[in-house]
Amino acid sequence: MSPEILRLVWEATLDTLWMVAVAASLATLIGLPLGVFLATSGRGELFAAPAVNKVLGFVVNATRSTPFIILVVAIIPFTRLLVGTSIGTKAAIVPLTIAAAPFIARLIEGAIREVDGGLVEAARAMGATPLQIVAKVLVPEALPAIVLSLTLAIVSLLGFSAMVGAVGGGGLGDLGIRYGYQRFMPDVMAIVVVVLVVLVQLVQSTGDRLSRRLNKRLRHG
Amino acid sequence: MTRPLRSDDLATAVAVPRADGADSAIAFEAVAKIFPARGGGPAVRALDGIDLAVAPGTILGVIGRSGAGKSTLIRLVNGLETPTAGRVVVDGTDVTALTERGLRDVRRRVGMIFQHFNLLSSRTAFDNVALPLEVARVPKAEIRRRVEPLLELVGLSDKRDRYPAELSGGQKQRVGIARALATRPTVLLSDEATSALDPETTRSILDLLSSINRELGLTVLLITHEMSVIRAVAKEVAVLDAGRVVERGDVFDVFTRPRHATTRSFLAAETGHALPPFLRERLRPEAAPGRPTALRILFRGPHATDPVVSQLSREFGLDVNILSGSVDEIAGRPFGTLVVSLAADGPTVERALAFLQARGLDTEVIGHVA
Ligand SMILES: Nc1ncnc2c1ncn2[C@@H]1O[C@H](COP(=O)(O)OP(=O)(O)OP(=O)(O)O)[C@@H](O)[C@H]1O
Ligand SMILES: [Mg+2]
């Protein structure tokens, strides 16, 4: 394999990492509060707003049920408006973020709902405000599950980022399509797959380890 | 002293000195709580016409069966639940009139402990106790100054950096108690705080609650379904049945003279109220020649150690056969029960009963031994 190809793989890997990192951060910024709100705004809950909850839930479901590739194409005007172009790594971040945010929101919602209601009751009995309950009880208690959720989201984003390659998104997917497929270089395709597998493994094991470290429920002695 | 139960007995037992917010730490005034019908189910009348006051610095035990409304009652005190009717006054503040913000202030003056402890698994013992102070925005240095002595008070100084998963049930409840005391409340609410603990641990937690009540002068409202818990800590008891207070009074009086069927059934397992099975099987309601009369004698307070059996047999030339008995202490006062059989005819039994009653003892014919 030529050094030229290896250089291309290295650059594509950095592109992918950059896209996923930025998209994951932005999606978390949106998905975390959204997920917390979804988990606490039902009838009789901390921030009870059942109507808003229903609307947001619907939007989240609609986004999640749109196939990713269609989402990418459908929001091209919006992407162009935001970053000035519809191709390349920067442009890919927009659909990646939009796809990941509701996914993260649902995962976080689930993690928050798993927190024992007795803890919320205890916090209310202490005189905690709803925001204090979120910041001091719900999020810290759900943290191990939240870390696992984000790990899952990052792994999914790695897959999606390879898919935006098919529409000129840059990164490993782009490399695989252009060299491995269009120029028929199966070794490039193979390297791309191996790099993705290694990245997924790294992310997953790091997430697992962090989550376990944060989980004080499992401690013994 | 045995006399037929009159209907106004119940009224005097239930009608507490009219709940007056000013001199009670907690007062329920004509409180009702109805949970509206939901999802096809009927509305639930969880509490109905509750008038109940707790004097400052005392421990009131509330006992009732599952579903009697105990948790609903205690949750009204710190506004976790709002009554459908009536008022709940805590330390002179009508909590039912407060907004959520006002309630938060009251909640800092009312500590609460729970059956399942409700400690944050992500926080150490120290940080769990610190939580109510963080919530009240107490400065860090001050938090440190206040948490250490609390951990000491509950005997957990050496566990300060342990997570709940590393503590036993009893230790967790001690952390829960320290946490409840962190904001220096005047009232402590305890909802089945020992129900998840073994008898010995229960005992130590109840001792801790007693000493807190004594030393800090805290008013305690304690909910339980076990008479033994009431007996160990409470001075006064209220019996809740289907959302109503059916009996209320001094623990010793209620234990030794239960009036309501629910109270009796709670006491069945306690001192002398349950008959041993062998005896129960042999008891018949009807008298017959040759069937000795079985008698329950209650010894209360100063009479608990009177030698009445020997007096009885000397006075009437009777054979007094002891079937079962016990002497115990309730709320610090001696209390005994004795079940005896008298081999005598009706008139002699009547005279024996009169003799016992003249000595201030409660007696009850419980049947005839076949
Ligand atoms: N949020 C609620 N919505 C509807 N019904 C309720 C609610 N909370 C309690 N109830 C009902 O009110 C009644 C009293 O409940 P409560 O929890 O006060 O009983 P409890 O005496 O504490 O019982 P336990 O000993 O089992 O804890 C029950 O019939 C219960 O089903
Ligand atoms: Mg209950």
Side-chain angles (χ1 to χ4, degrees), chain B residues 291-295 312 318-321 340-344 348-349 352-353:
Chain B
R291 272 187 193 168
T293 305
L295 209 61
L312 203 60
L318 272 175
D319 280 336
V320 181
N321 190 12
V340 298
S341 68
L342 307 178
T348 313
V349 171
L353 286 175

Side-chain angles (χ1 to χ4, degrees), chain B residues 35 38 44 46 64-73 81 192 225:
Chain B
F35 290 106
R38 180 123 47 89
V44 178
R65 292 200 186 88
S66 184
K70 307 183 295 294
S71 296
T72 308
L73 182 78
E81 212 77 77
E192 302 273 9
H225 61 265

Side-chain angles (χ1 to χ4, degrees), chain A residues 118 121 124 127 132 136 141, chain B residues 75 107 118 121-122 134-135:
Chain A
E121 173 109 342
R124 287 183 64 207
Q132 284 177 323
K136 291 188 179 289
E141 284 293 304
Chain B
R75 289 160 52 84
R107 285 171 184 162
N118 294 351
S121 69
S122 57
E134 289 175 27
V135 158

Side-chain angles (χ1 to χ4, degrees), chain A residues 43 116 118-119 121-122 124-130 132 136-137 140-141 216-221, chain B residues 75 78 80 104 107-108 110 112 114 118-122 131-132 134-135 137 162-163 165-166 179:
Chain A
R43 186 214 299 260
D116 180 2
L119 300 184
E121 173 109 342
R124 287 183 64 207
M126 278 169 212
T129 64
Q132 284 177 323
K136 291 188 179 289
V137 179
E141 284 293 304
K216 307 301 184 193
R217 258 168 291 193
L218 304 177
R219 277 214 184 183
H220 294 291
Chain B
R75 289 160 52 84
N78 56 3
L80 292 176
R104 285 200 282 271
R107 285 171 184 162
R108 284 167 199 170
V110 178
M112 189 168 193
F114 307 86
N118 294 351
L119 300 180
L120 270 63
S121 69
S122 57
L131 182 58
E134 289 175 27
V135 158
R137 300 206 165 77
R162 295 284 165 190
Y163 288 92
E166 301 168 310
R179 180 177 71 176

Side-chain angles (χ1 to χ4, degrees), chain A residues 7-96:
Chain A
R7 198 181 54 80
L8 281 175
V9 170
W10 174 244
E11 278 173 3
T13 305
L14 289 184
D15 278 352
T16 293
L17 288 177
W18 158 252
M19 274 192 298
V20 170
V22 175
S25 308
L26 293 176
T28 303
L29 238 45
I30 303 167
L32 183 65
L34 185 56
V36 170
F37 183 78
L38 285 174
T40 53
S41 56
R43 186 214 299 260
E45 290 174 333
L46 227 44
F47 297 97
V52 185
N53 181 291
K54 282 224 170 65
V55 172
L56 282 177
F58 176 79
V59 171
V60 162
N61 287 345
T63 318
R64 289 199 56 206
S65 53
T66 309
F68 180 62
I69 215 77
I70 292 179
L71 182 80
V72 173
V73 178
I75 64 164
I76 281 177
F78 178 67
T79 305
R80 216 175 260 143
L81 187 77
L82 225 56
V83 295
T85 170
S86 65
I87 49 168
T89 339
K90 229 163 105 187
I93 288 172
V94 178
L96 284 176

